[in-house]
Amino acid sequence: MSFNAPLGLKPAMGWNSWNTFTWDINEQLIRDAADRFVSDGYRDAGYEYIVIDDCWSLRDRDEQGNLVVDPEKFPSGMRALADYIHGKGLKFGMYSCVGTHTCAGHPGSFEHEFQDAALFAEWGVDFLKYDYCFKPRHMSGELLYKRMSLALKNCGREILFSACNWGEDGVYEWIRESGAHMYRSTEDIRDNWESIKKLALSQLGKQSYTGSFCHNDMDMLVVGMYGGSNSDFIGSIGGCSDIEYKTHFSLWSLMGSPLMIGCDIRKDQPAAREILLNPDLIAINQDLESRGAYRIKPEPQWFHDDDVFMLVKVLTDGDLAIGFFNLSDSAREISLQFWDTGLPYASGFSLSMYDCWEHRELGVFRERYAPTVGAHDCHIVRAKLVR
Ligand code: GLA
């Protein structure tokens, strides 16, 4: 039976220009990113959207009130770029904002929502990231997201709606009803360990607010940036180690965040590529039921700090994805008692563990499993119930 997945069923996967390039974007860069998606295996791994973030337009609308593409950066226009991206079997994303201006000061869609949605549809856009800067104070953000959602759903083209209000104004409580397919729950990520840790910890208690058709977006990935942003804000502390990028990717995968690559994928960076293409982690992220992950604090409970924890995601086929995370600065044993996952000894079941980073079977365990995990590192297993 063929089945066309409805928009937003699973967390979106793609690449976004902002983290590395900010304002310095052009059509060649976007084409190159699309080429790399195909030649380097990203498309085949499930990455789909090529997204142009802020700074693609001129500073003023035209006489009809339409947004105008910057002709120096994008001389062939957006329709041609969309055709190029579609020709590679990929999808095309763009960016606007609820306010009068975007965060970088270009025109926003306030009071132009339906007009802009129509223009995006005409250009062949498949994804819209919608930011929160310059929102008129008297307007409710909730209402403005409802507006653009309705405009997109009625523009004559399927466009995935990616809301981006940084977790403000209690967004968890109202965003799903607005019609958005994903929503940013965090402040802007930065290419350093402290930022990754802060964003992940901030969402651990909010995992019931994610799921199919409205995914909690913890922000774009910094994997592979190695301090290479042209913005001091994003890259100021000089990047992360590959172990830290591996942990970042594991957290985002288990927690069900969209996976939007933010590095310069034109560069040959085998270690970063291997992280981003890990099929076992991607399978966990893209699991059909899209359940949030729950946290288990390791034993003994009186000796815990918030930096050491396990995350368990219940998968559609009955397996458990289990992450042992050590965000602290020294190695730790992290002990899982199986009954904390709902598996008492009396059930007669054991767990057969598969290592999702080493891609090998680890054996069958009964009652308890306690790996030692290095500083800033993680250990991710897919556990199958066996008798
Ligand atoms: C905000 C968003 C970022 C990016 C910039 C663009 O800060 O949170 O992800 O889109 O705006 O100006």
Side-chain angles (χ1 to χ4, degrees):
M1 188 177 74
S2 77
F3 172 66
N4 268 340
L7 215 52
L9 179 65
K10 297 176 180 183
M13 295 174 66
W15 175 87
N16 175 303
S17 58
W18 184 255
N19 280 357
T20 297
F21 301 98
T22 61
W23 52 271
D24 190 16
I25 50 175
N26 60 68
E27 65 183 35
Q28 193 55 50
L29 167 68
I30 305 303
R31 284 171 193 245
D32 290 347
D35 292 349
R36 282 289 180 150
F37 257 34
V38 178
S39 63
D40 287 6
Y42 293 100
R43 182 186 66 186
D44 291 346
Y47 292 93
E48 194 177 19
Y49 293 98
I50 299 284
V51 183
I52 303 177
D53 207 281
D54 206 349
C55 305
W56 58 265
S57 74
L58 291 182
R59 298 262 169 190
D60 291 302
R61 291 175 178 266
D62 69 12
E63 280 167 10
Q64 287 75 48
N66 283 317
L67 293 164
V68 184
V69 178
D70 184 326
E72 278 179 24
K73 293 176 176 173
F74 299 95
S76 315
M78 288 305 173
R79 181 75 241 183
L81 198 48
D83 289 346
Y84 186 84
I85 290 168
H86 292 150
K88 303 256 158 191
L90 298 168
K91 292 184 174 164
F92 178 40
M94 288 194 70
Y95 165 97
S96 188
C97 186
V98 299
T100 53
H101 295 82
T102 70
C103 298
H106 295 259
S109 291
F110 181 63
E111 302 288 30
H112 292 271
E113 292 86 357
F114 286 79
Q115 181 176 9
D116 291 352
L119 189 63
F120 292 137
E122 199 183 307
W123 286 343
V125 170
D126 306 296
F127 175 113
L128 183 70
K129 174 174 170 181
Y130 206 48
D131 220 332
Y132 209 51
C133 286
F134 296 102
K135 179 179 74 64
R137 283 198 194 167
H138 64 283
M139 294 297 302
S140 106
E142 180 176 350
L143 187 62
L144 293 179
Y145 279 106
K146 282 179 182 153
R147 265 197 202 174
M148 188 47 107
S149 170
L150 210 50
L152 291 175
K153 283 189 189 299
N154 291 281
C155 71
R157 187 175 172 85
E158 275 204 337
I159 299 185
L160 188 140
F161 188 28
S162 165
C164 177
N165 92 328
W166 324 306
E168 291 192 1
D169 299 333
V171 65
Y172 313 92
E173 308 286 346
W174 48 261
I175 194 67
R176 178 174 288 274
E177 296 94 296
S178 79
H181 299 101
M182 56 194 264
Y183 68 99
R184 263 281 292 287
S185 53
T186 58
E187 64 184 38
D188 287 14
I189 197 167
R190 302 173 73 164
D191 183 20
N192 63 60
W193 174 247
E194 287 67 34
S195 172
I196 290 168
K197 184 170 159 178
K198 182 177 174 197
L199 298 194
L201 291 177
S202 79
Q203 296 310 303
L204 284 183
K206 307 215 174 89
Q207 283 282 287
S208 51
Y209 296 97
T210 195
S212 302
F213 307 114
C214 194
H215 302 274
N216 179 329
D217 171 11
M218 291 159 56
D219 204 357
M220 282 103 56
L221 300 165
V222 292
V223 177
M225 288 180 66
Y226 302 111
S229 177
N230 69 359
S231 144
D232 283 350
F233 177 77
I234 302 169
S236 57
I237 310 185
C240 302
S241 68
D242 286 326
I243 285 189
E244 292 166 341
Y245 286 142
K246 166 194 162 191
T247 300
H248 166 37
F249 190 75
S250 301
L251 285 162
W252 266 234
S253 293
L254 256 96
M255 293 173 78
S257 178
L259 300 176
M260 303 299 290
I261 299 170
C263 69
D264 184 353
I265 57 165
R266 301 169 308 175
K267 290 186 180 160
D268 289 314
Q269 303 184 134
R273 189 167 159 269
E274 197 181 319
I275 292 170
L276 293 166
L277 293 179
N278 182 326
D280 296 319
L281 266 295
I282 291 174
I284 291 169
N285 178 263
Q286 296 288 299
D287 184 69
L288 187 59
E289 290 186 3
S290 273
R291 299 195 182 277
Y294 60 87
R295 172 174 42 178
I296 298 177
K297 293 181 174 172
E299 298 285 353
Q301 293 278 355
W302 46 264
F303 183 65
H304 78 257
D305 55 54
D306 285 344
D307 294 352
V308 181
F309 54 87
M310 289 160 273
L311 286 180
V312 181
K313 175 168 167 149
V314 176
L315 302 177
T316 308
D317 67 359
D319 287 1
L320 299 174
I322 308 174
F324 299 81
F325 290 96
N326 179 6
L327 310 190
S328 82
D329 296 333
S330 51
R332 280 281 295 272
E333 185 187 90
I334 308 179
S335 167
L336 174 70
Q337 308 293 334
F338 292 178
W339 74 2
D340 283 334
T341 68
L343 192 67
Y345 189 81
S347 69
F349 280 99
S350 301
L351 291 180
S352 173
M353 305 278 197
Y354 174 84
D355 186 322
C356 295
W357 281 106
E358 291 188 4
H359 311 295
R360 65 183 179 94
E361 298 293 342
L362 296 167
V364 175
F365 298 82
R366 188 86 196 263
E367 205 169 11
R368 176 174 182 270
Y369 179 71
T372 295
V373 181
H376 300 189
D377 203 351
C378 65
H379 175 61
I380 313 294
V381 299
R382 186 169 180 131
K384 190 171 283 305
L385 276 67
V386 293
R387 280 196 192 274

